[in-house]
Amino acid sequence: MPEEVILQAQRELPDWDGQGFSLLETPFSGVKFKRLLGRTRDTLRELLKIPDHFHILFMHGGASAQFSLVPLNLLGDSKCAAYVDSGYWSRKAIHEAHRYCQVEHAAIAEDYIHTSTNTAYCHITSNETADGLQLSLALKASTPLIVDMTSDFLVRPIDFEPIGLIYAGAQKNIGPAGLTIVIVRDDLLGRAHALTPTVLNYTYQVEAGSLVNTPLTYSIYLANLVFQWIGHQGGITSMAKRSQTRSAMIYDVIDASEGFYRCDIPPDQRSRMNLCFKLPDEPLTQLFIDHAAWSGLVNLKGHVQKGGIRASLYNAMPDAGVVALADFMHRFRKQYADL
Ligand SMILES: Cc1ncc(COP(=O)(O)O)c(C=O)c1O
């Protein structure tokens, strides 16, 4: 979370919007909260230039719930959906989809994803958080693209032309965990399986303006502050440029390290959000993590199943942190490269 947002939230916690009590105590069905929800939706639409035939939903359950909700809501009469297997999180989505339909494994060839004619949609994970791999967003497919953008939402402009639905768990670039943004194309509504729970049915949520049940009011408030903060920073174009420059700074250190730091992802697929790399051995990796922590650089341990180092450069990460990491990596290598 950006520091400015945390401080504003702290100031406004006891008395929100001059009403003499906290937003936490504000009814979701009242005018004030509904106005906030509308503003939050409008700001997001403006930031990402979301066309009018897409609906924006604020849902519960995190991105993982969407692994089930996408097939439950979108398969309709179809028995098959295509999935691109790009790493850890797409495999989670595929595993869950198997419970609802046949999964066709789709491959990307020159920015195009070929699927069979009977597939309802094609699912991709635009940024593999655990693997450090990011897909091009110039992708096209013969069926609507469903994109898990949990870890690179609000970081790059989106061409909505091939998109059927985008979902993103909030905890990376939006706000607190649990809140999930879903952006769904109008013509994909009305296909939900009869057993889809009402609160998790996209069509009902669209009709109710995300208010089928009590929404995550405080998380939506924080998301609104973050969206405003992004606007003040120059919007999505500015976030995109920043993430390009910041990630290049660290990848340059890796590539100039003569093999001391190693990133196995091909340069054109390297994530600008989650930079994953390895050191020569396990003891050095642990030493890197310990020394980094002494320098105030924390949470650098790679994903539990992947090992190595992962530096996540989400929007709220200050530039000074990226410079400090690059400096630390230089110093660490100088000290330990030839031992
Ligand atoms: C790409 C991606 N998809 C899904 C998830 C799961 O999100 P949640 O914990 O909100 O269910 C994550 C979490 O890090 C993620 O990075």
Side-chain angles (χ1 to χ4, degrees), residues 62-64 67 89 125 127 129 148 150-151 171-172:
S64 303
F67 298 163
W89 285 108
T125 304
N127 185 72
T129 326
D148 176 357
T150 297
S151 48
Q171 64 272 32
K172 315 294 183 191

mmCIF file of all heavy atoms in Angstrom, residues 62-64 67 89 125 127 129 148 150-151 171-172, ligand 1:
data_model
loop_
_atom_site.group_PDB
_atom_site.id
_atom_site.type_symbol
_atom_site.label_atom_id
_atom_site.label_comp_id
_atom_site.label_asym_id
_atom_site.label_seq_id
_atom_site.Cartn_x
_atom_site.Cartn_y
_atom_site.Cartn_z
ATOM 1 N N GLY A 62 -11.065 -13.658 -2.924
ATOM 2 C CA GLY A 62 -9.710 -13.715 -3.484
ATOM 3 C C GLY A 62 -9.706 -14.275 -4.896
ATOM 4 O O GLY A 62 -10.726 -14.769 -5.396
ATOM 5 N N ALA A 63 -8.548 -14.204 -5.516
ATOM 6 C CA ALA A 63 -8.432 -14.674 -6.901
ATOM 7 C C ALA A 63 -8.701 -16.171 -7.007
ATOM 8 O O ALA A 63 -9.257 -16.641 -8.007
ATOM 9 C CB ALA A 63 -7.045 -14.336 -7.441
ATOM 10 N N SER A 64 -8.345 -16.921 -5.947
ATOM 11 C CA SER A 64 -8.514 -18.380 -6.018
ATOM 12 C C SER A 64 -9.980 -18.764 -6.187
ATOM 13 O O SER A 64 -10.288 -19.770 -6.829
ATOM 14 C CB SER A 64 -7.965 -19.055 -4.765
ATOM 15 O OG SER A 64 -6.611 -18.721 -4.596
ATOM 16 N N PHE A 67 -11.004 -19.170 -9.693
ATOM 17 C CA PHE A 67 -10.628 -20.397 -10.415
ATOM 18 C C PHE A 67 -11.866 -21.285 -10.618
ATOM 19 O O PHE A 67 -11.977 -21.997 -11.601
ATOM 20 C CB PHE A 67 -9.542 -21.185 -9.655
ATOM 21 C CG PHE A 67 -8.238 -20.455 -9.482
ATOM 22 C CD1 PHE A 67 -7.307 -20.882 -8.538
ATOM 23 C CD2 PHE A 67 -7.913 -19.352 -10.259
ATOM 24 C CE1 PHE A 67 -6.099 -20.224 -8.371
ATOM 25 C CE2 PHE A 67 -6.702 -18.675 -10.099
ATOM 26 C CZ PHE A 67 -5.801 -19.117 -9.140
ATOM 27 N N TRP A 89 0.497 -20.459 -10.861
ATOM 28 C CA TRP A 89 -0.887 -20.038 -10.637
ATOM 29 C C TRP A 89 -1.818 -20.516 -11.737
ATOM 30 O O TRP A 89 -2.976 -20.846 -11.480
ATOM 31 C CB TRP A 89 -0.977 -18.522 -10.432
ATOM 32 C CG TRP A 89 -0.488 -18.154 -9.074
ATOM 33 C CD1 TRP A 89 0.688 -17.517 -8.772
ATOM 34 C CD2 TRP A 89 -1.104 -18.439 -7.806
ATOM 35 N NE1 TRP A 89 0.827 -17.384 -7.408
ATOM 36 C CE2 TRP A 89 -0.252 -17.936 -6.796
ATOM 37 C CE3 TRP A 89 -2.281 -19.065 -7.429
ATOM 38 C CZ2 TRP A 89 -0.552 -18.045 -5.433
ATOM 39 C CZ3 TRP A 89 -2.591 -19.168 -6.078
ATOM 40 C CH2 TRP A 89 -1.727 -18.674 -5.096
ATOM 41 N N THR A 125 -2.856 -16.560 -17.357
ATOM 42 C CA THR A 125 -2.383 -15.848 -16.170
ATOM 43 C C THR A 125 -1.338 -14.868 -16.683
ATOM 44 O O THR A 125 -0.254 -15.277 -17.112
ATOM 45 C CB THR A 125 -1.763 -16.846 -15.158
ATOM 46 O OG1 THR A 125 -2.756 -17.836 -14.864
ATOM 47 C CG2 THR A 125 -1.331 -16.160 -13.881
ATOM 48 N N ASN A 127 0.590 -12.673 -15.383
ATOM 49 C CA ASN A 127 1.870 -12.590 -14.668
ATOM 50 C C ASN A 127 1.944 -13.723 -13.654
ATOM 51 O O ASN A 127 1.104 -13.800 -12.751
ATOM 52 C CB ASN A 127 1.996 -11.241 -13.949
ATOM 53 C CG ASN A 127 3.351 -11.066 -13.300
ATOM 54 O OD1 ASN A 127 4.353 -10.876 -13.978
ATOM 55 N ND2 ASN A 127 3.415 -11.135 -11.987
ATOM 56 N N THR A 129 3.267 -14.956 -10.648
ATOM 57 C CA THR A 129 3.881 -14.360 -9.464
ATOM 58 C C THR A 129 5.009 -15.221 -8.879
ATOM 59 O O THR A 129 6.015 -14.698 -8.412
ATOM 60 C CB THR A 129 2.794 -14.170 -8.371
ATOM 61 O OG1 THR A 129 1.566 -13.864 -9.003
ATOM 62 C CG2 THR A 129 3.155 -13.091 -7.402
ATOM 63 N N ASP A 148 -6.238 -13.839 -15.513
ATOM 64 C CA ASP A 148 -5.909 -13.658 -14.100
ATOM 65 C C ASP A 148 -4.800 -12.608 -14.049
ATOM 66 O O ASP A 148 -3.645 -12.891 -14.370
ATOM 67 C CB ASP A 148 -5.438 -14.986 -13.493
ATOM 68 C CG ASP A 148 -4.981 -14.834 -12.038
ATOM 69 O OD1 ASP A 148 -4.974 -13.694 -11.530
ATOM 70 O OD2 ASP A 148 -4.630 -15.861 -11.424
ATOM 71 N N THR A 150 -4.002 -10.881 -11.279
ATOM 72 C CA THR A 150 -3.799 -10.575 -9.861
ATOM 73 C C THR A 150 -2.502 -9.818 -9.597
ATOM 74 O O THR A 150 -2.484 -8.860 -8.842
ATOM 75 C CB THR A 150 -3.832 -11.879 -9.033
ATOM 76 O OG1 THR A 150 -5.135 -12.441 -9.169
ATOM 77 C CG2 THR A 150 -3.537 -11.638 -7.564
ATOM 78 N N SER A 151 -1.397 -10.252 -10.237
ATOM 79 C CA SER A 151 -0.132 -9.611 -9.859
ATOM 80 C C SER A 151 0.376 -8.598 -10.878
ATOM 81 O O SER A 151 1.466 -8.059 -10.686
ATOM 82 C CB SER A 151 0.929 -10.670 -9.543
ATOM 83 O OG SER A 151 0.985 -11.643 -10.540
ATOM 84 N N GLN A 171 -4.599 -7.974 -3.283
ATOM 85 C CA GLN A 171 -3.493 -7.796 -2.340
ATOM 86 C C GLN A 171 -2.168 -7.344 -2.938
ATOM 87 O O GLN A 171 -1.221 -7.090 -2.195
ATOM 88 C CB GLN A 171 -3.283 -9.087 -1.537
ATOM 89 C CG GLN A 171 -2.861 -10.286 -2.346
ATOM 90 C CD GLN A 171 -4.040 -11.073 -2.889
ATOM 91 O OE1 GLN A 171 -5.065 -10.509 -3.187
ATOM 92 N NE2 GLN A 171 -3.898 -12.375 -3.021
ATOM 93 N N LYS A 172 -2.049 -7.262 -4.264
ATOM 94 C CA LYS A 172 -0.760 -6.835 -4.835
ATOM 95 C C LYS A 172 -0.760 -5.335 -5.132
ATOM 96 O O LYS A 172 0.052 -4.610 -4.600
ATOM 97 C CB LYS A 172 -0.461 -7.581 -6.140
ATOM 98 C CG LYS A 172 -0.721 -9.060 -6.115
ATOM 99 C CD LYS A 172 0.186 -9.805 -5.184
ATOM 100 C CE LYS A 172 -0.077 -11.295 -5.272
ATOM 101 N NZ LYS A 172 0.595 -12.030 -4.218
HETATM 102 C C1 LIG B 1 -1.464 -14.753 -10.268
HETATM 103 C C2 LIG B 1 -2.172 -15.127 -9.006
HETATM 104 N N1 LIG B 1 -3.375 -15.724 -9.083
HETATM 105 C C3 LIG B 1 -4.048 -16.078 -7.975
HETATM 106 C C4 LIG B 1 -3.537 -15.842 -6.717
HETATM 107 C C5 LIG B 1 -4.329 -16.268 -5.504
HETATM 108 O O1 LIG B 1 -4.840 -15.140 -4.883
HETATM 109 P P1 LIG B 1 -5.737 -15.252 -3.546
HETATM 110 O O2 LIG B 1 -4.780 -15.556 -2.455
HETATM 111 O O3 LIG B 1 -6.332 -13.875 -3.456
HETATM 112 O O4 LIG B 1 -6.735 -16.297 -3.755
HETATM 113 C C6 LIG B 1 -2.295 -15.215 -6.592
HETATM 114 C C7 LIG B 1 -1.732 -14.942 -5.256
HETATM 115 O O5 LIG B 1 -0.626 -14.521 -5.087
HETATM 116 C C8 LIG B 1 -1.591 -14.845 -7.758
HETATM 117 O O6 LIG B 1 -0.408 -14.258 -7.678
#
